[in-house]
Amino acid sequence: MSAEVTTRFDKAYIEAYSDKNNEPDWMKAFRLTGFEKALTLDMPKPDKTRITRWDFDSFEHDAVKSNAINDLSELPADIQKFVDLKEKQNLLILKDNHLIYKHATEGLMNNGVIFTDLNTALKDHPELVKAYFMTDAVTIDEHKLTALHAALVNGGAFVYVPKNVVVEEPLQAIFWQDQKDLALFNHVIIVAEENSELTYVENYLATHDETKAVANVIAEVFAKDNAKISFGSVDNFAHGTTSYINRRGLAERDAKIEWALGQMNDGNTISENITHLLGDSSVCYAKAVSVGRGDQIQNFTAKIVNYGKHSDGMIFQHGVMKDKATAIFHGIGKIVRGGTKANAEQESRVLMLSKDARGDANPILLIDEDDVTAGHAASVGRVDPVQLYYLMSRGISQQEAERLIIHGFLAPVVNEIPIKAVREQLTDVIERKVN
Amino acid sequence: MSGSTLEIRNLHVEIEGKEILKGVDLTIKGGEFHAIMGPNGTGKSTLASAIMGHPKYEVTKGEILIDGKDVLEMEVDERAKAGLFLAMQYPSEISGVTTSDFLRSSINAHREEGDEIPLMKFIKEMDNAMDYLEMDKNMSQRYLNEGFSGGEKKRNEILQLMLLKPAIGILDEIDSGLDIDALKVVSKGINKLRNENFGCLIITHYQRLLNYVTPDYVHVMMQGRVVKSGGPELVDRLESEGYEWIKEEFGIEDETVGE
Ligand SMILES: Nc1ncnc2c1ncn2[C@@H]1O[C@H](COP(=O)(O)OP(=O)(O)OP(=O)(O)O)[C@@H](O)[C@H]1O
Ligand SMILES: [Mg+2]
C-alpha cells in the first residue's frame, strides 16, 4: 500500500469507533488485533495481477448517519428497482453503512431466525457473532486487507437459521453506497444449522461513480450437516471504487452451498470465492458471471476444496470482456488426501468483444487422492461467426444477435438469481455494461 | 406475376481458397418448387450457404439477385429481410437463448421498430405452428437447438419457416434424420406454405420427401454445377437408376468437386 491507510488511523480512533457503536469488548479487542496485524502484514498477491499501484487507501471510513425510511417508496428509483415491491419481503437496506430499513416476516421471527445488520447482531447476539466472525472461514491474518477488514469493519449483515428450519422466502440485503468517498468494510455472516435451508441475495450498489473509494467485503457462509444455502449476489461498485471481495463457504456433511455471483463492478477488483467441502457428500456449485469494460482490471478466483468423501464441487465462470478491460479467471479444484470418490469439475469461459480487451482462463486441478473424478473446460474466444450467421439469417441484426449471444452466455448464472427484481436488475446491468 | 424471383447466374464460390461452385445458373420464381439432388460433396450446401451469406463462403464470380436486387451486396440479416430463408443442414446451437426468445426476435426483426408483435399474439402463433408440427411445447423454453435431437432440429427449422413466411425458402436436407411420421409432419408444414407467393428450393437425397412435396423442377448437381434439369419424372429415374447414367452422359468420372 502506498499512502498507508495505517498511518491515517490509530488505536484511539478504532477504540472510539467501537465505543460509539456500543460494541462488545471482544469486538473492540478484535479490531485492535486486526489493526496491529495490518501494520506488518503484506498485501494479498493475487496470481497474475499486479496490484501494487491499486488505490486501497483513498477513502473515508465513518459516514454521517443515514436517516431510516419507513416505506420503500421513499427509496430513490435506482434503488427501488432492486426490490420486489408487491410483497413485503425479508429485506435489509444499509445506506452508507447504516441500517435504514428492515423487514422480516412474522414466520421468520417465530422460527427463531436472526436476520439483521451486523451492528445490531453484535449487540443482541454477541456470543453467536463471536463464534463465527473471522474464526473458521476467513482469518484475520491472511494478509493486510483481511487484517484491515477486522480493524475497520463498518457494516454488514448477520443471518442465523436454527436447526430444522426451512426459510422459503429469500432474505435480501442491499448495501448502498451513497456518500462518494465512503469505504465499505462490509461483513456478512450466514449460518445454517443442521437440516436448515435458506436463500440469501445481496446487492452492492453505488449511486456515484468516479470518486475514489474502497470496498473491502467479506462473506462467511456456514452450512452445517444437511443444510442448504443458496447465495446470490450482484456486485456493482462504481468505476472509482477499488474492491477486495472475499466470499467463503464451509459445508459439512451432506450440506450444499450454491453460489450465483454477478460480478459487475466497474472498478479494479479482486474477487475470490472459496468453498471448503469439509463433510462427506457435501456439495458446492460455484457459478459466477462478470463483464469487464473500460480500463478496469479484475482478478477472479473460484476455488473449491474437497475434503469429504463423495463431496462434489462444480465451478462455472463465464466472463465477457470489452474495451480495454483486463481480467483473469482462476478456477481451482482441489481434492485433498482422503477425499475418496470426490468430484471436482469446472468450466471457465471468456468471451472477448474487442481486440484491446484481455481475458484469461486459468484452470487448475490439484489432486492428492487417487479414487476421484475431475474435469475442466476452459476457453477464451470471440463470438462465434457461425452462430451470428444463424441468428442473422432470420433477419436479426448483427448488434441484436451479439446481444442475444452475450446474454445467453451469461444466462446460466442470471437465471439462478432467486429474486425476480434482482434478476432483472442484473440483466439491466449486463445490458448497460455490454452496450 | 406474384411472389419474388431469385436468380443465380454463373455463380462461382470458394471455401478456404478452394473453388467449390463452378458456375451455377438457376432461377426460382414465386409459386415454383425446385428440387436439387446430387451425390455427396457436389456443392449443394455450398450453393445454399452462398445464397444466405455464410461467412466462410466466398463468391468469386457471378450474381445472385432477388427481384433484381443484388443479394451479394447485402448483409446476412438484409438477405433475410429481402425474403430469403435457409433451413440449414446443421443449425447452430445457441446456449442461454431460449427458442421462444429467438423466434420472437426473428419475427420482430421483420417488423418496424415500435410495431413489435404483441406477446400474446406471438405465443398464439408459435403455439399454433408447434401444434401443426406436433412439437412438444416445452421445446420453446429450451435453449435454441441445444441438446435437440436431429429430428427436433429439423422441425425447429420448419417452425421458423412457418412463422417467418419468407418469399423464397431454401431447405437443405430437411428430411435427413427424420422418421416416417416426422417426415410427413414436416412435409405438411412445407405444403401449408405452398402458394403463388412462395418459391422453394429443396435439397434432398431422397425421393421420400419429394413424394410428399412434389417439385415442379428437378436439378442434379455434380462437380459444382447443375448438370441436368427436368421435371418430377427425373426423381423416379434417379431413384431407380442412381446417378451413373448422368455421369456417363457427361463423361464424369468423379462427381465430387475435386481439385
Ligand atoms: N472448409 C472446407 N475446406 C475445404 N473443403 C470444403 C470445406 N467445406 C466444404 N468443403 C468441400 O466442399 C465440397 C462441397 O460441399 P457441400 O457441403 O456443398 O456438399 P453437398 O453437396 O452439400 O454434400 P452432402 O450431400 O454430403 O451434404 C465438399 O467436397 C466438401 O468437402
Ligand atoms: Mg449438404
Side-chain angles (χ1 to χ4, degrees):
Chain A
M1 237 180 292
S2 40
E4 285 299 340
V5 166
T6 37
T7 60
R8 288 171 41 214
F9 297 95
D10 57 18
K11 288 192 168 186
Y13 172 84
I14 287 167
E15 283 177 356
Y17 183 80
S18 184
D19 288 340
K20 188 174 96 176
N21 288 294
N22 303 312
E23 291 176 353
D25 287 342
W26 69 262
M27 184 66 191
K28 198 198 302 185
F30 202 85
R31 286 181 181 278
L32 292 170
T33 310
F35 183 69
E36 225 149 68
K37 294 199 185 248
L39 296 174
T40 54
L41 284 171
D42 287 332
M43 287 293 283
K45 292 184 185 64
D47 195 14
K48 299 190 170 144
T49 305
R50 266 172 66 88
I51 62 162
T52 43
R53 302 180 63 179
W54 289 22
D55 190 348
F56 277 105
D57 295 330
S58 307
F59 65 84
E60 287 303 315
H61 175 250
D62 198 6
V64 204
K65 197 164 168 42
S66 318
N67 292 326
I69 58 164
N70 294 315
D71 195 275
L72 295 172
S73 61
E74 295 165 44
L75 291 172
D78 279 356
I79 309 295
Q80 233 177 53
K81 286 190 302 198
F82 282 85
V83 181
D84 276 339
L85 290 169
K86 281 196 208 91
E87 280 172 61
K88 276 214 141 191
Q89 303 283 342
N90 297 307
L91 174 63
L92 288 178
I93 303 176
L94 276 76
K95 179 184 176 190
D96 296 336
N97 313 341
H98 293 97
L99 181 70
I100 59 160
Y101 180 87
K102 174 175 157 177
H103 180 261
T105 58
E106 228 163 81
L108 204 63
M109 314 292 279
N110 293 342
N111 277 322
V113 174
I114 301 169
F115 174 55
T116 189
D117 64 302
L118 184 68
N119 195 241
T120 306
L122 277 167
K123 277 176 237 160
D124 296 352
H125 312 279
E127 292 309 312
L128 210 46
V129 177
K130 189 180 176 188
Y132 295 100
F133 188 85
M134 301 186 89
T135 55
D136 294 335
V138 178
T139 53
I140 200 166
D141 53 7
E142 291 181 17
H143 46 66
K144 196 183 211 99
L145 292 180
T146 53
L148 209 56
H149 179 93
L152 295 176
V153 58
N154 61 4
F158 185 77
V159 178
Y160 179 87
V161 179
K163 228 170 153 169
N164 302 326
V165 172
V166 174
V167 182
E168 303 275 358
E169 287 296 306
L171 308 169
Q172 185 181 8
I174 295 178
F175 302 102
W176 164 27
Q177 249 184 316
D178 192 44
Q179 183 183 318
K180 286 187 184 322
D181 49 4
L182 184 66
L184 195 59
F185 284 81
N186 207 66
H187 198 97
V188 172
I189 294 173
I190 294 179
V191 183
E193 291 285 8
E194 285 171 36
N195 304 316
S196 69
E197 283 182 34
L198 74 98
T199 297
Y200 167 84
V201 180
E202 62 182 15
N203 304 114
Y204 288 95
L205 338 145
T207 39
H208 55 83
D209 50 14
E210 293 305 326
T211 315
K212 285 190 169 166
V214 170
N216 179 327
V217 168
I218 293 179
E220 302 184 278
V221 172
F222 303 86
K224 303 294 176 68
D225 289 357
N226 202 37
K228 292 189 174 43
I229 297 176
S230 159
F231 186 112
S233 78
V234 179
D235 304 343
N236 196 200
F237 286 114
H239 182 243
T241 301
T242 304
S243 304
Y244 168 73
I245 296 173
N246 178 347
R247 294 190 173 101
R248 202 163 294 177
L250 303 186
E252 298 187 19
R253 188 176 46 77
D254 294 316
K256 183 175 187 182
I257 300 178
E258 285 180 275
W259 306 94
L261 310 177
Q263 307 173 130
M264 297 294 151
N265 292 341
D266 279 325
N268 290 350
T269 298
I270 306 170
S271 183
E272 61 170 65
N273 174 218
I274 301 177
T275 304
H276 294 281
L277 294 175
L278 301 172
D280 292 348
S281 304
S282 52
V283 177
C284 176
Y285 297 147
K287 297 188 181 176
V289 287
S290 345
V291 177
R293 69 167 166 181
D295 57 358
Q296 71 176 137
I297 300 170
Q298 301 188 89
N299 185 299
F300 298 106
T301 300
K303 177 175 177 180
I304 298 178
V305 188
N306 299 64
Y307 300 84
K309 299 186 198 336
H310 293 276
S311 58
D312 188 4
M314 200 274 289
I315 292 168
F316 176 101
Q317 43 185 353
H318 278 191
V320 173
M321 305 299 300
K322 59 176 281 205
D323 304 335
K324 288 183 170 158
T326 301
I328 177 142
F329 295 83
H330 303 285
I332 307 171
K334 181 176 162 124
I335 303 179
V336 304
R337 197 149 224 20
T340 49
K341 309 271 190 233
N343 181 38
E345 297 290 337
Q346 60 167 291
E347 179 187 326
S348 302
R349 299 197 188 280
V350 188
L351 189 60
M352 309 291 285
L353 299 185
S354 78
K355 64 178 199 315
D356 294 329
R358 286 167 54 192
D360 222 339
N362 181 27
I364 299 170
L365 283 174
L366 304 164
I367 298 180
D368 291 328
E369 175 59 53
D370 296 327
D371 186 13
V372 300
T373 51
H376 63 77
S379 66
V380 177
R382 305 195 168 274
V383 173
D384 177 2
V386 178
Q387 287 189 341
L388 264 188
Y389 161 69
Y390 184 66
L391 295 178
M392 289 174 71
S393 77
R394 299 329 186 211
I396 297 170
S397 67
Q398 178 165 349
Q399 196 191 352
E400 175 67 8
E402 282 176 353
R403 202 187 70 87
L404 283 170
I405 290 169
I406 292 163
H407 280 279
F409 181 70
L410 302 174
V413 172
V414 176
N415 294 343
E416 296 283 311
I417 299 282
I419 296 173
K420 186 159 173 269
V422 180
R423 202 160 50 236
E424 286 169 1
Q425 286 320 301
L426 178 54
T427 306
D428 271 15
V429 171
I430 291 169
E431 189 83 45
R432 273 206 303 282
K433 288 199 78 168
V434 297
N435 283 335
Chain B
M1 197 203 72
S2 48
S4 292
T5 301
L6 178 69
E7 290 167 274
I8 297 155
R9 293 190 195 140
N10 190 29
L11 190 69
H12 289 248
V13 175
E14 282 183 7
I15 176 160
E16 283 162 16
K18 181 183 167 196
E19 183 163 71
I20 308 288
L21 295 192
K22 298 170 177 171
V24 174
D25 291 277
L26 197 64
T27 299
I28 299 159
K29 295 188 177 134
E32 296 176 357
F33 272 42
H34 293 245
I36 293 193
M37 304 188 78
N40 294 125
T42 50
K44 304 182 297 298
S45 293
T46 303
L47 174 62
S49 302
I51 295 170
M52 205 66 232
H54 189 295
K56 272 200 166 174
Y57 296 78
E58 195 196 341
V59 174
T60 50
K61 211 166 150 188
E63 285 182 311
I64 304 177
L65 305 171
I66 184 162
D67 299 326
K69 291 186 297 266
D70 186 355
V71 170
L72 297 176
E73 281 297 306
M74 300 179 192
E75 298 294 336
V76 177
D77 56 326
E78 293 167 339
R79 297 181 191 201
K81 286 189 202 157
L84 294 171
F85 179 95
L86 169 59
M88 300 196 190
Q89 186 172 2
Y90 304 109
S92 292
E93 300 188 358
I94 302 185
S95 191
V97 178
T98 64
T99 302
S100 162
D101 281 351
F102 161 69
L103 291 172
R104 191 143 70 105
S105 296
S106 302
I107 291 173
N108 284 333
H110 291 265
R111 299 167 69 109
E112 292 301 316
E113 219 178 303
D115 182 38
E116 286 82 11
I117 185 168
L119 184 60
M120 293 319 290
K121 182 163 190 265
F122 163 70
I123 291 174
K124 209 171 140 207
E125 282 186 17
M126 180 176 69
D127 281 357
N128 285 344
M130 288 183 91
D131 279 341
Y132 200 82
L133 294 172
E134 295 170 27
M135 291 171 77
D136 177 2
K137 297 259 180 36
N138 293 325
M139 299 231 341
S140 69
Q141 291 314 311
R142 284 173 58 188
Y143 293 153
L144 184 55
N145 291 325
E146 196 178 70
F148 284 23
S149 75
E152 286 167 347
K153 283 183 183 166
K154 301 289 173 173
R155 276 188 216 221
N156 194 28
E157 293 292 287
I158 297 301
L159 176 66
Q160 295 165 43
L161 177 76
M162 289 182 71
L163 291 174
L164 295 176
K165 299 183 191 71
I168 303 282
I170 302 163
L171 314 179
D172 192 358
E173 294 201 23
I174 199 66
D175 52 342
S176 71
L178 292 185
D179 61 45
I180 295 288
D181 291 338
L183 184 73
K184 283 186 190 163
V185 165
V186 161
S187 308
K188 192 174 76 164
I190 301 167
N191 283 327
K192 186 156 197 265
L193 296 174
R194 197 158 194 165
N195 67 41
E196 57 185 8
N197 292 316
F198 177 59
C200 195
L201 179 63
I202 300 166
I203 298 170
T204 181
H205 287 290
Y206 305 106
Q207 186 184 18
R208 270 188 345 170
L209 174 67
L210 302 176
N211 288 342
Y212 294 112
V213 187
T214 324
D216 305 300
Y217 305 93
V218 177
H219 313 275
V220 177
M221 266 187 91
M222 282 187 191
Q223 293 183 325
R225 289 187 191 89
V226 174
V227 293
K228 190 156 191 78
S229 297
E233 73 289 344
L234 194 50
V235 180
D236 300 323
R237 182 149 184 216
L238 290 172
E239 188 75 13
S240 54
E241 295 179 37
Y243 292 108
E244 226 24 67
W245 63 277
I246 301 185
K247 283 160 74 177
E248 272 166 31
E249 194 176 320
F250 293 94
I252 294 170
E253 276 173 18
D254 176 6
E255 71 277 13
T256 62
V257 174
E259 287 308 312

